[in-house]
Every structure is written in C-alpha cells, then in structure tokens.
Amino acid sequence: MFRAEAKGQPLQFDTAGVIGANEVFKDRQTGSRWQQSTLQAIDGPLQGTHLELHPFLLTDWREWRRLHPDSLVLKPLPGYAERIPQYNQVINEARFGKGAAPEGALRKDDRLPPRETILGLDIDGAEKAFPLSALRKVKIVNDKIGGRPVLVVHQPDSDTTTAFVSQWKERPLTFAAAASGLTDQQTHSRWDAYGHCTAGKLKGARLQPLILEPEFWFAWSEFHPKTAIYTPPSS
C-alpha cells in the first residue's frame, strides 16, 4: 500500500502489465509507469521518483475487527468476488512455500523457495527479508538493520507481524515474550504487539513503527538483490 501522490500531485493508477513477473502501474495524470516492488517510476515524466509506503497491517478479519470494530468493508467489484477462491488457494499454498516462480521472473535466488512468503524491511538502504515460516517459530526477533535496533513481533493466532525501532529516547531495548504480550529486558515494562507500553516504568510509551513489505521471495529478491535473510537461532 502506498500514498497515491508524487511531488505534491495526487495520482490515479491503472494496471499496465508485468515486468520481471511483477506488476506495473500507470498513472493517469502523467502517463508514468511504476514498478510495484520498488514503488519507482521506471519511465515517463516522473521517472526515478519513488512513491511513499503507507502504513498498513496485514492480518486476518478477526484481529482487524478486534482492533477496529467500527471499520467499513470494501465491497468487491463485479466479477472479483468469483475469483477470491482462486486467490485464496494461491495464498494458502504460499503459506508453505509451494510453487515455482512465474515464467517472467528475471532473476533466480536459491537461498529460499521462490514462493516463500517473506516480510521485507528496508532501512536507509539496508534490506532484510524475514521468512514467515521462521517468524512462526520464533515469534519475537531482536535484530539490527542499517545500524538501528529492530523488533519484529509475530502473532501466530492471526499470522500478524509488526515491526518497530526497538529503542525509547535513544535507549536500545531488547524484548522477550511474556504471558500477555512482551517485556523489555532493560526496564521490565510490558508491551503489546503493536508497540504500546501497557505497564511498568515506560507505560504510555510507543515504539516507532516500521513498514513491513509482504512479498513472495522471487519478487523481493529480484528487486532487492543485496538483501540479507533472517535466520532463527539453531537452538
């Protein structure tokens, strides 16, 4: 999800084909074409411009409704609802990394299965992919990307993953799972999976959220060839 504007100009987009097995969009205002995975205009008057990621949460309906009980629901366009079972099948297969890369993929990276679902982070040009299969095992990751301390939290009940800069007022924090949520080892305060401190010395504090980009591995690795991959501890 991204902000539909560039250089202060609101934009409207239509699909414009596929390049490198990745969708391309064309804006109606300037005719520029944009690559989905990089959010960059690849040609046209806005070539080289990047769209800004919009904060979003990929979760299931139960968790979303718990967080936002008054949400509106987008009604599918005619003809789309009939295709939902097909899309769900692709999504369910991807939960287990099944399937080959599309024929149009330009690059092959064998470090992970092509259809492995990953959550990508790009911090000041430092990139790292977190395989969803690994996050389901460890649930909480304390890491460092681009010199910044990072916390990744996975909720297995809803397959929801969130990420944050794991520091408060320039003080790095290290987190561990607790009976209800997580705690930081520095102040022993309690936090929820959405970066809010609910009890303890830091009650009321909120961690800076980071935007995770869900992708198939073949797509992320093609457009982020220097990406690192998170590997859980062997123990």
Side-chain angles (χ1 to χ4, degrees):
M1 183 178 291
F2 51 84
R3 299 186 186 279
E5 63 177 22
K7 297 184 177 181
Q9 179 181 11
L11 301 172
Q12 293 176 294
F13 295 87
D14 299 298
T15 57
V18 174
I19 295 178
N22 187 255
E23 286 196 62
V24 173
F25 304 100
K26 186 176 183 178
D27 72 70
R28 299 178 184 178
Q29 284 68 30
T30 73
S32 301
R33 293 192 305 159
W34 305 77
Q35 190 84 53
Q36 178 187 359
S37 279
T38 63
L39 302 182
Q40 183 179 20
I42 56 177
D43 59 28
L46 295 177
Q47 183 175 2
T49 303
H50 283 83
L51 297 173
E52 181 183 351
L53 279 170
H54 197 294
F56 66 94
L57 181 67
L58 184 63
T59 186
D60 65 7
W61 172 237
R62 178 184 296 179
E63 178 67 2
W64 181 265
R65 188 169 55 178
R66 184 185 72 82
L67 296 170
H68 308 283
D70 297 325
S71 290
L72 298 177
V73 179
L74 180 66
K75 183 178 180 180
L77 293 171
Y80 181 82
E82 291 77 5
R83 290 181 284 171
I84 290 179
Q86 176 186 351
Y87 293 143
N88 284 342
Q89 181 179 351
V90 173
I91 292 172
N92 288 332
E93 289 178 350
R95 285 173 58 87
F96 305 100
K98 295 181 179 179
E103 292 183 2
L106 302 176
R107 187 176 182 275
K108 185 177 181 181
D109 190 325
D110 292 329
R111 288 182 290 169
L112 291 172
R115 293 277 181 175
E116 174 86 35
T117 300
I118 65 91
L119 298 162
L121 270 178
D122 183 342
I123 301 179
D124 299 328
E127 303 164 340
K128 196 160 192 174
F130 293 82
L132 194 52
S133 58
L135 294 176
R136 291 186 181 119
K137 297 176 182 177
V138 299
K139 300 180 180 60
I140 293 177
V141 175
N142 294 282
D143 207 343
K144 185 172 285 189
I145 302 175
R148 304 184 74 180
V150 170
L151 167 69
V152 180
V153 183
H154 183 73
Q155 301 177 70
D157 290 344
S158 60
D159 235 8
T160 306
T161 309
T162 46
F164 310 91
V165 177
S166 53
Q167 65 181 34
W168 177 248
K169 294 184 177 179
E170 299 185 359
R171 182 184 184 184
L173 300 173
T174 305
F175 290 84
S180 56
L182 50 157
T183 59
D184 71 76
Q185 297 179 4
Q186 285 70 30
T187 73
H188 307 290
S189 299
R190 287 186 174 272
W191 303 73
D192 65 19
Y194 299 99
H196 300 98
C197 187
T198 58
K201 295 181 180 179
L202 299 181
K203 184 178 180 179
R206 184 175 183 182
L207 300 176
Q208 177 186 340
L210 297 169
I211 303 176
L212 291 163
E213 300 181 55
E215 291 263 23
F216 286 129
W217 171 244
F218 75 82
W220 176 263
S221 60
E222 181 162 323
F223 295 97
H224 303 84
K226 297 181 179 180
T227 185
I229 301 175
Y230 168 73
T231 303
S234 56
S235 59

